[in-house]
Amino acid sequence: MKTSETLTEYEKAKQAAYTYYLQIKPVFCPHLKQNVSFNGKGFWHIVFRSQDKKREESGQILRFRLLSKSVKLVSHTATLQEYDSYTGELPVRDHGKKIIKVITLDFYGYIAIIDGWKIKVIVRKDGNGKPYFWSVIPNWVTNKKRDGKYLHFTGDLKED
């Protein structure tokens, strides 16, 4: 096990973000009119794009730094900016057995400028389950001195 002195910047950022993430309680979302949980699936998705595809470390670090802004956005948003729905097969537990079921996956996209950052937060809902944080996508930093350098992130709500 590495000591705190030997941890890389990425490892330190991930460790701090995970510690913070574990402390996040369910947040009431005014748009959904119910609580949104911050479970392990959301943190996993910040680190990985898909099963075998890890995100770039710089992108992960940026997303780690935006977690607190994500909580703030979810707790204040009353307006849905994007919505997508997919029907897909998902492993679920049914009476203690793991089975594959066809389930509708709903993705809700909320966009806002929070503390000078334009971000998009995606909340996911699997079938009749409860909504949970899925991802945060940084769009760009806003400030008074526009330097013209914007980072645009594109893709679909399921992947991002």
Side-chain angles (χ1 to χ4, degrees), residues 3-153:
T3 64
S4 61
E5 293 85 35
T6 61
L7 292 175
T8 66
E9 178 190 349
Y10 164 75
E11 291 167 329
K12 288 177 186 175
K14 183 177 179 183
Q15 199 171 63
Y18 188 67
T19 300
Y20 170 76
Y21 195 84
L22 289 174
Q23 296 173 15
I24 303 171
K25 303 287 185 230
V27 175
F28 184 79
C29 175
H31 171 257
L32 294 173
K33 295 180 177 47
Q34 58 183 313
N35 284 337
V36 171
S37 64
F38 285 72
N39 61 23
K41 294 177 186 178
F43 194 84
W44 179 90
H45 193 70
I46 288 174
V47 177
F48 295 91
R49 182 173 290 280
S50 62
Q51 283 300 100
D52 301 323
K53 232 176 167 181
K54 200 169 189 178
R55 295 183 190 277
E56 288 184 23
E57 288 184 359
S58 60
Q60 289 179 49
I61 290 171
L62 182 54
R63 289 169 196 258
F64 295 153
R65 291 182 180 148
L66 295 175
L67 282 173
S68 64
K69 293 167 187 15
S70 301
V71 173
K72 197 171 184 180
L73 193 155
V74 169
S75 69
H76 287 85
T77 191
T79 307
L80 179 68
Q81 281 81 24
E82 296 181 11
Y83 173 79
D84 213 342
S85 181
Y86 300 93
T87 301
E89 294 181 346
L90 216 64
V92 295
R93 292 222 174 262
D94 187 17
H95 301 300
K97 293 181 182 178
K98 196 173 185 180
I99 62 169
I100 302 293
K101 265 190 167 177
V102 176
I103 293 179
T104 300
L105 308 175
D106 296 309
F107 296 88
Y108 304 89
Y110 303 104
I111 301 170
I113 297 173
I114 305 287
D115 301 330
W117 284 83
K118 182 179 179 198
I119 62 171
K120 177 179 5 179
V121 171
I122 300 169
V123 173
R124 177 174 162 173
K125 185 176 174 196
D126 300 348
N128 294 326
K130 296 183 182 198
Y132 58 92
F133 168 82
W134 181 241
S135 191
V136 58
I137 302 167
N139 280 345
W140 62 76
V141 176
T142 59
N143 59 33
K144 293 179 183 173
K145 294 180 181 179
R146 300 278 179 162
D147 61 6
K149 294 180 184 176
Y150 295 99
L151 296 174
H152 294 281
F153 290 79

